[in-house]
Amino acid sequence: MAMAAEAAAAATVPLGVLLRREVTSERMERPDVLCGEAARSRKGEDFTLLLAEAAHRVAGDPSTSFSVFALFDGHNGSGAAIYAKKNLLSNVLRATPSGLTRDEWLKVLPRSLVAAFVKTDKDLQAVAETSGTTVTFVIIDEWVVTVASVGDSRCILESADGSLYHLSADHRFDSNRDEVERVTACGSKVGPLRCWPGGLCLSRSIGDIDVGECIIPVPHVKQVKLSNAGGRIIIASDGVWDDLSFEMALECSRGYPSDIAANRIVNEAILPRGLRDDTTCIVVDILPPEKLAPSPPTKWQGKIVNKMFCRKHPDMSFKTDTEYAEPDVVEELFEDGSAMLSKRLTTGYALQRMFEPSSCAICQLRLAYGQGISIHANPLQHEKMQGWQGPFLCRSCHEKKEAMEGKRRPIDPSAADAFSHVGGA
């Protein structure tokens, strides 16, 4: 009787759904990742990093490769953008322990990105570079996309059904009230558009040593998982977004391969007012294997915007006829934009494995026993704390943390041994 009942229930489910269940129960194949970029330069301060095979999670195993695509929009010179392009990825890898499974690696990645952004900023200030840069840094591991961002370059995703998802945050003062309140609380003065001293319109960046430590390098991080239908990612500097809405960028590029799409977006952006700023766009297509170009969504699909992320339970069942056509689900795995390092470095993955007591959680400096300062501790009382209270920071990284949070004056880079470990692990 039970078998008959199961057979009857199965008979009410369309064959296509049953086949899809069978296919999705198996491991999805690795996608094809195609990219294109276009740029029009006015000041020469935009830089990009395009690495379809950036590194291997497991050394020497090509099946564990991941991609990195990044945009660095410099200001007050190009030094910070060049420095971040050269060093940020290596700092991410240095902040990530070896010997992790893929699932562990993905869980650790948001924290590694935070540590790497802060280390890159700290090392840059040590060489007395006064310029600054926005950063939008995208890591693609199979169908999982992780985006870390500071500043006002933006990253969006169009899923295969034409829905729009925001993968980055905007750290301009005129569009982020929370950041205005944070910077004001740290002692800086924020006018209608800019922060003083320095006159910067951004609350987060890498560099900008002359502006003050309240302009922080702690990134907003979002991690999502695409369905095996894939999607398109657009990363662009403010030279694009000052003249194009997200919908306009998608509309003018939809259905074109990534290189042509990037050119169309840049050309569309400079059409209304001419070239007023460095204008750069990267388009990345994440496609099912052997699918050479993205199929344009139908007209009605292209009008869906700001779709909410789904948190799809792995055992989600099919209950109604309307659910038989499975949606193109984009699942949110992680998101955090807090400015507090004590929060950002202590969420998620097993901490003691991630951060050994013998190394600084930001710069990876080896610490002598009892030398590290807990990220939660008052530096005058840290020796009284019991048990493992990590992660731990070296003294100069702790000083930087305190300065970024408005609790202490920033350290003098010329002070003895304050930056003696710059670039070292």
Side-chain angles (χ1 to χ4, degrees):
M1 290 290 292
M3 293 180 61
E6 289 179 8
T12 64
V13 180
L15 177 60
V17 172
L18 293 176
L19 292 174
R20 184 175 296 157
R21 289 184 189 176
E22 181 69 23
V23 170
T24 55
S25 68
E26 300 174 358
R27 180 177 173 82
M28 291 192 296
E29 293 184 80
R30 293 176 63 86
D32 291 328
V33 179
L34 307 177
C35 73
E37 69 168 323
R40 303 291 185 273
S41 179
R42 181 176 177 84
K43 295 180 290 184
E45 295 175 342
D46 278 8
F47 295 85
T48 60
L49 182 66
L50 310 178
L51 299 173
E53 187 170 319
H56 300 154
R57 286 185 289 103
V58 179
D61 183 356
S63 69
T64 66
S65 66
F66 59 90
S67 304
V68 171
F69 302 97
L71 174 57
F72 309 87
D73 181 358
H75 47 263
N76 300 325
S78 60
I82 294 172
Y83 187 92
K85 174 180 177 177
K86 180 180 178 181
N87 292 282
L88 188 53
L89 175 57
S90 62
N91 286 337
V92 173
L93 299 177
R94 186 178 290 114
T96 307
S98 59
L100 302 180
T101 67
R102 180 172 181 270
D103 286 345
E104 290 171 337
W105 189 83
L106 290 171
K107 289 179 181 178
V108 161
L109 194 52
R111 189 182 296 108
S112 298
L113 284 160
V114 170
F117 270 61
V118 176
K119 174 175 168 54
T120 302
D121 177 79
K122 183 169 176 280
D123 292 353
L124 177 64
Q125 292 187 5
V127 297
E129 174 57 59
T130 60
S131 63
T133 185
T134 74
V135 181
T136 303
F137 198 85
V138 180
I139 297 178
I140 301 173
D141 186 317
E142 298 186 11
W143 302 95
V144 176
V145 179
T146 308
V147 180
S149 59
V150 292
D152 59 356
S153 295
R154 301 298 301 274
C155 177
I156 60 174
L157 164 70
E158 184 180 38
S159 64
D161 72 353
S163 300
L164 169 62
Y165 300 88
H166 297 231
L167 300 185
S168 62
D170 191 339
H171 294 128
R172 280 191 181 183
F173 287 113
D174 60 357
S175 60
N176 196 321
R177 185 63 195 171
D178 290 342
E179 287 293 277
V180 171
E181 293 175 359
R182 179 188 66 78
V183 172
T184 302
C186 286
S188 293
K189 186 179 298 184
V190 180
L193 297 175
R194 298 182 182 273
C195 169
W196 304 95
L200 194 66
C201 68
L202 307 170
S203 63
R204 303 196 193 191
S205 68
I206 286 180
D208 292 307
I209 189 173
D210 56 338
V211 177
E213 293 280 1
C214 291
I215 306 303
I216 62 172
V218 180
H220 172 275
V221 180
K222 183 188 284 282
Q223 186 178 75
V224 301
K225 182 178 182 181
L226 280 62
S227 75
N228 61 358
R232 165 167 283 180
I233 293 172
I234 297 177
I235 312 161
S237 62
D238 62 332
V240 169
W241 303 125
D242 284 347
D243 286 290
L244 289 187
S245 67
F246 300 129
E247 295 82 2
M248 292 167 64
L250 292 172
E251 187 66 32
C252 76
S253 61
R254 189 175 286 122
Y256 293 93
S258 56
D259 53 347
I260 297 176
N263 268 292
R264 289 180 63 87
I265 291 170
V266 168
N267 289 338
E268 190 77 9
I270 65 178
L271 186 62
R273 300 185 297 167
L275 185 63
R276 299 166 60 89
D277 191 7
D278 291 344
T279 304
T280 304
C281 179
I282 303 169
V283 174
V284 182
D285 290 326
I286 305 172
L287 304 174
E290 301 181 2
K291 186 174 182 180
L292 298 180
S295 299
T298 60
K299 183 174 292 187
W300 71 269
Q301 288 172 326
K303 294 183 181 296
I304 300 177
V305 296
N306 297 327
K307 186 171 181 178
M308 297 297 291
F309 286 94
C310 300
R311 293 185 178 273
K312 183 178 179 182
H313 192 279
D315 297 323
M316 185 169 63
S317 60
F318 299 83
K319 296 181 180 179
T320 67
D321 290 343
T322 58
E323 291 176 322
Y324 288 150
E326 290 185 72
D328 178 31
V329 175
V330 175
E331 182 181 3
E332 181 182 307
L333 303 178
F334 178 91
E335 181 173 17
D336 199 340
S338 170
M340 304 297 289
L341 278 181
S342 55
K343 178 178 186 294
R344 300 299 297 278
L345 295 178
T346 56
T347 55
Y349 186 70
L351 292 175
Q352 196 158 356
R353 183 177 177 186
M354 173 65 183
F355 296 124
E356 297 180 2
S358 59
S359 63
C360 173
I362 291 176
C363 69
Q364 288 76 58
L365 177 72
R366 302 296 292 181
L367 302 171
Y369 178 78
Q371 184 181 9
I373 302 173
S374 169
I375 200 166
H376 311 286
N378 182 312
L380 300 179
Q381 299 176 339
H382 73 278
E383 68 278 0
K384 300 179 182 179
M385 302 183 70
Q386 300 295 317
W388 193 83
Q389 298 291 334
F392 296 93
L393 304 179
C394 67
R395 182 161 295 278
S396 65
C397 283
H398 187 273
E399 291 280 358
K400 181 170 180 62
K401 167 189 171 292
E402 295 286 279
M404 288 193 299
E405 295 177 1
K407 299 176 183 177
R408 178 170 302 197
R409 293 177 62 85
I411 55 176
D412 180 359
S414 64
D417 80 342
F419 291 96
S420 60
H421 57 280
V422 167

